[in-house]
Amino acid sequence: MFTRFTSMLHHAVEALAPNVSLQQEFMSHWKSVNQYFVDVIDHKMSVDQTPVPGHLKRMIQMLVREEAGGEAGVPGPCMEYLLKERILETLYTLARTDCPPGMKQLVLQLFIKLLSHVRQPLLPHIHVHRPVQRLVKMCGEVKASPAETDEIQFLLTLCSVVKQDPYLVNFFIEMPKPKTPDSSKSEMTNNDVIEICPRQSRFIIVDSLLSLMHSEDARVSVKACEGLMLISSLPEENAARHLLANTNFTSKLTSQLCSLYTALPKALYPADIEAVDAKWGLDIASSVDDRHSFPGKRSVISFLSWLDFCDQLIGVAHELVAKALALSIHERFLIALLEPAILQTSEVDAIMATAHLSRCLRLVSSPELITEFAFFILGHESEPEVFGVPSSHRLRQRLLERCDHISEEVCVATWKLFEILLNKPNDHIVRNLVLRNLVSRGYTSSVSLPASAISSPTREHRPLSSPCSLPSTPLTADEPCKSEAAPSGFPLSGETESQSRVKPASFSPDPDDLVTPKDKVTDVSSADGEFVSSDALRSRSSGSGTSPPVFPEQLKRTESNKVELSYSNGGGEGDRVLEKSLKQEDEKDARFIGRYELLDIRQVVSIFLNILPKDAISSHHSADSGYDSYLRDAQHQFAVMSAWHRKFNWPQKPVSKQNSPDWPFYEGLFLQKLLDKLSTMLQQSYEVNLQVTCVASRLALVPHANIHEFLLNPQLPIRQGCRNLPTVLQKLASDIQARVRIIPDFQKKLLGVRHKLMGYSNNSIRRCKTKIAGFSSDDSSSLLAGVIVFEEFCKELAAIAFVKHHAETLQR
């Protein structure tokens, strides 16, 4: 009865009492918090068991409600009371003492809600940024503390606020007060004082993030890295300079990378390193990772993940920060750790170090870090190379020497590194390896190519048909095989020393089958249809003392003087795709002046596809015998590479910077090694041929006019004593033709090796991706596998040439 009466009296008093304002209620809650700490002396129980969290939570809710109902940007009465009474500074003091237990976490959560929910700028107020600064300094002081999660969340909230208003970062750069010079040092100027002070300043938010970056809790560590990424990406140059000058930012990130690299186990396989897929972030193991696990995999993932974080940070950071961190990685990781490992004499350790470098290079994508990797591998040289003079950059010279190393593992690992290097969008890579030696165009002959000769070859030869399908009219036993003649269409020059190593002593082709500039000049017809003999062509040539070019003979012309494509009934889908594409190209002007000058794409494709004799072609027995896959791949890869290199503003026509016509041409050590390895494909293993042809096709995709004509222009007149890719392929085809006539049952053995490479399935051999496990590497199998790789390589070159021509036509 008494309780009911008390309740009724209480409700009556509330009904008669006036309404309390929001400010009075706010003040009441804060007084309740103060009264608790006055009344309670021994704080043994947790703060969650006290009324303090409830009062503080209500105060934040009132501040948010006040801002929503008031004028934007104008502080309300509650906010004014908060700033006037220095409530935030009092809360910092309570957090510093952490009394009662858990008060530090409660205060951090209060600041997080205040900064994230209140939209009006608070940090410019001195009674806000001062306690915030002190809280920032307190974060990360104690390792593995219970408040680590709240500390990193508080720092991330600040980083987000600063990211929205970059000028606020200056509140977290502590500048000491300049010391006033005394009478004994009156000669010190103000500039001296200002110059000394920045070296004593502190970037407190970065220091706390770097401390939490090494937390044992992976989530805390990842969030600390996110905060560093936000701070480093600020556009404020002052903040970037203080970040580099007054913190251990670059040294700590690079030291962590070096520590993770030195922790890698020594006994690893290059294939395992290549197969690891690691991205920066929370490392969550899956069942797939368990099935492909190997000893040391967790260490490899940690190392690659940290490198990926550094690469992503460099990609978004301020220009000064990005360059400084990339340079630090170059000096302290690449030069100090990787270079000695790569240059050592032990083959096993050198292969492993090269695999590490290849995997790191494949992972990085930021322009600054790619540039540092390029300088590390290739050096800074930009002048044309001189034959016989080694490179001043020791690592580049050693890697190129290993391209024809006696150990196949060393050779493959090195060529794979150059493949990845060419796949990076960096102008210095292409110029250092190739362009600086090709810009002179010293490989070209002084004889110009008549336009009529390009469009009107008359000697009948094997028509443009798919090497994957048999000719429509089979040859009889009495009829001589036209394909036994050495493939024409390539202007040959004097044979260099490296070219003389193409044919082994045991296989010498008939001299009558070899094409020479003097006895295989093609009769052509002029543009108006008038027949022009080869003697007349020689007399019209403007060059003196230089053999005229040899023009392609693999074409059969109709009465309308257009190329007639001959396909058998067994042609695949790729044949129809190529025929349709070529017919579409025929509707456009094929002889245009552009990046790929004076090229009839039909003749170029025909030359590459018909270079092999009929008996050496084996792809017509497989299900996927066409070019559709090569065309699709080339189109995609060339589109990506063109987008990368468009910013370099390369010329539309081949550049010629030759000072003297008598200046000896040297293609450079990289192209020399590449052409040498291509010329000895029949003596190399299947794996080496796969990797070398992959590098060549990757280089052929580069959209530069000089590189294109050197690799993909079989109609280019070559200077005496020089060579290019088409001449190397022609000599290799001649060697294959000689072996076809010597080796018994060549066609049968060739098909058997192809079936073995395909795994007795209908899948096509993808040269750049497939590596057949368990394949026999005896001499006979390696030779036949080399013929198959050579056939696929020529098909890919034909597809690349067609795609580049088509892309250039669309841009006109």
Side-chain angles (χ1 to χ4, degrees):
M1 185 68 183
F2 180 76
T3 305
R4 185 179 301 177
F5 176 77
T6 305
S7 178
M8 292 174 63
L9 183 62
H10 178 71
H11 286 295
V13 172
E14 287 185 351
L16 296 176
N19 293 330
V20 180
S21 65
L22 193 63
Q23 180 184 6
Q24 291 176 342
E25 186 179 358
F26 185 84
M27 296 170 56
S28 174
H29 284 291
W30 178 241
K31 291 179 179 179
S32 299
V33 172
N34 288 332
Q35 189 63 35
Y36 169 80
F37 284 99
V38 171
D39 295 340
V40 180
I41 299 177
D42 190 9
H43 302 282
K44 292 184 178 180
M45 59 177 153
S46 174
V47 70
D48 295 332
Q49 301 176 359
T50 66
V52 174
H55 291 297
L56 294 179
K57 182 179 179 181
R58 287 287 298 161
M59 291 172 65
I60 296 297
Q61 292 175 352
M62 292 177 188
L63 290 173
V64 174
R65 188 172 61 183
E66 179 186 66
E67 185 185 39
E71 185 177 354
V74 178
C78 296
M79 181 61 67
E80 291 181 351
Y81 180 80
L82 177 77
L83 299 176
K84 180 180 178 181
E85 297 295 327
R86 302 182 180 182
I87 294 177
L88 297 181
E89 295 186 16
T90 304
L91 291 176
Y92 160 73
T93 304
L94 296 174
R96 187 67 180 174
T97 59
D98 197 21
C99 184
M103 192 64 191
K104 179 180 178 180
Q105 296 171 267
L106 179 62
V107 172
L108 288 172
Q109 293 171 6
L110 175 69
F111 273 76
I112 291 172
K113 293 178 181 178
L114 182 65
L115 294 172
S116 58
H117 289 84
V118 177
R119 300 304 177 188
Q120 57 182 300
L122 295 178
L123 283 177
H125 295 282
I126 187 172
H127 298 306
V128 176
H129 71 251
R130 183 180 295 171
V132 168
Q133 288 175 346
R134 294 172 178 174
L135 275 178
V136 169
K137 294 179 184 178
M138 189 175 60
C139 295
E141 285 183 344
V142 181
K143 300 296 182 181
S145 69
E148 264 192 350
T149 303
D150 299 295
E151 289 175 358
I152 192 58
Q153 192 63 40
F154 168 67
L155 294 177
L156 275 182
T157 303
L158 281 178
C159 292
S160 300
V161 173
V162 171
K163 184 67 176 177
Q164 295 175 2
D165 297 311
Y167 75 93
L168 296 176
V169 72
N170 296 300
F171 290 113
F172 304 100
I173 301 175
E174 283 193 347
M175 301 289 294
K177 296 180 180 180
K179 297 180 180 180
T180 304
D182 53 18
S183 57
S184 62
K185 298 181 180 180
S186 58
E187 69 276 3
M188 181 179 292
T189 62
N190 293 332
N191 293 332
D192 297 330
V193 177
I194 296 175
E195 184 180 356
I196 293 175
C197 291
R199 289 197 291 266
Q200 300 173 351
S201 60
R202 291 183 59 193
F203 206 154
I204 56 175
I205 191 170
V206 175
D207 292 337
S208 298
L209 289 171
L210 289 174
S211 178
L212 291 173
M213 184 184 69
H214 299 286
S215 173
E216 296 296 331
D217 190 341
R219 291 177 174 82
V220 174
S221 178
V222 169
K223 290 183 178 180
C225 293
E226 292 177 356
L228 291 173
M229 191 174 295
L230 289 173
I231 294 297
S232 62
S233 63
L234 295 176
E236 292 287 325
E237 183 176 347
N238 181 53
R241 294 187 181 277
H242 279 282
L243 177 66
L244 299 176
N246 303 313
T247 68
N248 297 324
F249 177 76
T250 57
S251 60
K252 282 197 173 183
L253 265 61
T254 309
S255 298
Q256 179 73 1
L257 182 67
C258 296
S259 301
L260 292 172
Y261 177 76
T262 54
L264 294 178
K266 302 298 181 182
L268 289 174
Y269 292 99
D272 293 336
I273 299 175
E274 188 70 20
V276 170
D277 186 16
K279 290 293 182 182
W280 171 71
L282 294 180
D283 187 14
I284 301 176
S286 62
S287 57
V288 178
D289 296 332
D290 295 337
R291 289 196 300 268
H292 298 87
S293 61
F294 56 88
K297 183 175 182 179
R298 305 304 304 172
S299 300
V300 176
I301 291 177
S302 299
F303 165 70
L304 294 177
S305 299
W306 189 257
L307 178 62
D308 185 54
F309 162 69
C310 294
D311 178 65
Q312 291 187 34
L313 188 145
I314 292 174
V316 301
H318 189 275
E319 182 181 1
L320 296 177
V321 179
K323 291 182 178 179
L325 181 56
L327 183 62
S328 178
I329 293 176
H330 183 176
E331 295 175 350
R332 302 183 58 183
F333 171 62
L334 295 178
I335 294 180
L337 295 179
L338 266 182
E339 185 176 13
I342 295 174
L343 295 178
Q344 60 185 320
T345 57
S346 173
E347 290 186 5
V348 177
D349 296 337
I351 292 172
M352 184 58 56
T354 305
H356 288 155
L357 178 59
S358 300
R359 187 63 183 87
C360 293
L361 183 61
R362 184 162 66 92
L363 185 143
V364 300
S365 58
S366 58
E368 291 81 3
L369 196 54
I370 291 176
T371 300
E372 295 301 329
F373 268 85
F375 289 155
F376 167 69
I377 298 173
L378 304 176
H380 295 77
E381 298 174 345
S382 59
E383 295 298 323
E385 299 179 66
V386 180
F387 180 77
V389 178
S391 172
S392 60
H393 191 68
R394 183 175 57 170
L395 182 60
R396 181 186 190 272
Q397 184 71 22
R398 182 68 62 84
L399 288 174
L400 289 175
E401 290 173 355
R402 289 177 179 175
C403 287
D404 57 356
H405 199 274
I406 189 174
S407 171
E408 289 188 358
E409 290 78 6
V410 175
C411 182
V412 170
T414 307
W415 280 113
K416 185 173 293 185
L417 173 63
F418 282 108
E419 177 199 353
I420 299 173
L421 195 62
L422 287 172
N423 201 31
K424 294 299 177 180
N426 187 274
D427 181 57
H428 177 72
I429 295 174
V430 181
R431 292 193 178 277
N432 184 278
L433 289 176
V434 181
L435 279 183
R436 60 172 170 160
N437 304 303
L438 297 184
V439 291
S440 66
R441 297 193 73 198
Y443 49 86
T444 59
S445 173
S446 59
V447 177
S448 60
L449 191 62
S452 59
I454 296 178
S455 59
S456 304
T458 58
R459 291 183 58 184
E460 184 175 350
H461 198 270
R462 183 163 56 94
L464 172 59
S465 60
S466 169
C468 309
S469 58
L470 293 174
S472 56
T473 305
L475 297 173
T476 61
D478 298 333
E479 182 182 3
C481 180
K482 295 181 181 179
S483 63
E484 290 182 358
S488 62
F490 297 93
L492 291 181
S493 59
E495 193 172 79
T496 62
E497 180 182 357
S498 59
Q499 289 173 313
S500 64
R501 296 194 297 266
V502 174
K503 308 177 188 63
S506 57
F507 294 97
S508 299
D510 190 351
D512 296 335
D513 295 329
L514 296 179
V515 179
T516 61
K518 295 182 180 181
D519 57 8
K520 291 293 184 179
V521 177
T522 308
D523 296 337
V524 298
S525 60
S526 61
D528 56 1
E530 180 184 359
F531 180 82
V532 182
S533 64
S534 59
D535 294 334
L537 181 61
R538 290 191 183 97
S539 64
R540 294 181 184 181
S541 177
S542 60
S544 59
T546 306
S547 301
V550 182
F551 304 117
E553 299 176 317
Q554 290 92 339
L555 303 176
K556 182 171 67 178
R557 296 276 176 167
T558 61
E559 293 181 358
S560 61
N561 200 28
K562 293 184 179 180
V563 180
E564 180 182 32
L565 302 178
S566 300
Y567 293 97
S568 66
N569 295 331
E573 178 67 22
D575 301 332
R576 293 188 290 273
V577 171
L578 183 63
E579 181 180 10
K580 180 180 179 181
S581 302
L582 288 177
K583 286 183 178 179
Q584 293 175 353
E585 286 297 310
D586 188 54
E587 298 174 359
K588 303 176 182 179
D589 185 12
R591 290 175 52 251
F592 64 92
I593 304 300
R595 177 171 289 149
Y596 316 125
E597 185 177 5
L598 291 175
L599 288 184
D600 188 338
I601 190 58
R602 288 173 171 268
Q603 297 183 16
V604 173
V605 172
S606 172
I607 291 171
F608 281 119
L609 294 183
N610 293 323
I611 186 172
L612 271 178
K614 179 178 70 68
D615 294 337
I617 296 174
S618 59
S619 58
H620 58 272
H621 289 276
S622 61
D624 185 13
S625 59
Y627 315 96
D628 49 350
S629 57
Y630 287 104
L631 287 171
R632 287 194 302 267
D633 292 347
Q635 184 177 10
H636 171 71
Q637 294 170 3
F638 182 70
V640 173
M641 188 161 287
S642 297
W644 287 348
H645 295 84
R646 191 174 294 118
K647 60 183 178 182
F648 301 143
N649 296 323
W650 283 339
Q652 295 296 319
K653 296 181 181 180
V655 179
S656 181
K657 297 182 179 179
Q658 186 174 355
N659 298 325
S660 173
D662 298 330
W663 187 266
F665 170 73
Y666 177 51
E667 65 265 28
L669 189 56
F670 175 75
L671 280 178
Q672 177 188 345
K673 296 292 184 181
L674 181 62
L675 296 179
D676 287 347
K677 296 300 287 184
L678 289 173
S679 64
T680 56
M681 287 179 63
L682 303 183
Q683 292 86 45
Q684 296 167 170
S685 67
Y686 176 69
E687 289 76 12
V688 173
N689 287 334
L690 284 180
Q691 194 57 56
V692 172
T693 53
C694 188
V695 173
S697 62
R698 178 62 59 182
L699 184 61
L701 285 166
V702 176
H704 193 283
N706 291 66
I707 297 177
H708 177 86
E709 71 170 2
F710 188 82
L711 298 179
L712 296 177
N713 188 357
Q715 301 168 338
L716 186 71
I718 299 299
R719 187 179 180 181
Q720 186 76 14
C722 300
R723 60 175 178 171
N724 63 349
L725 179 59
T727 59
V728 170
L729 298 180
Q730 192 271 342
K731 291 178 66 66
L732 186 58
S734 300
D735 195 7
I736 293 175
Q737 179 177 325
R739 294 168 187 261
V740 170
R741 292 179 294 187
I742 295 176
I743 299 177
D745 299 328
F746 183 89
Q747 182 75 15
K748 182 179 179 180
K749 294 179 180 178
L750 187 66
L751 293 177
V753 172
R754 188 177 187 91
H755 290 160
K756 185 180 295 185
L757 291 175
M758 296 173 62
Y760 298 95
S761 65
N762 292 327
N763 297 326
S764 63
I765 299 176
R766 302 302 300 148
R767 298 182 310 92
C768 301
K769 301 178 182 179
T770 305
K771 182 176 180 180
I772 308 300
F775 174 70
S776 175
S777 297
D778 55 75
D779 295 339
S780 177
S781 298
S782 297
L783 186 149
L784 297 174
V787 175
I788 296 172
V789 174
F790 177 77
E791 177 187 353
E792 299 296 315
F793 178 52
C794 292
K795 290 163 61 177
E796 186 172 14
L797 291 178
I800 293 173
F802 177 80
V803 167
K804 294 176 78 173
H805 178 274
H806 181 71
E808 185 73 18
T809 305
L810 294 178
Q811 292 177 3
R812 294 177 64 231

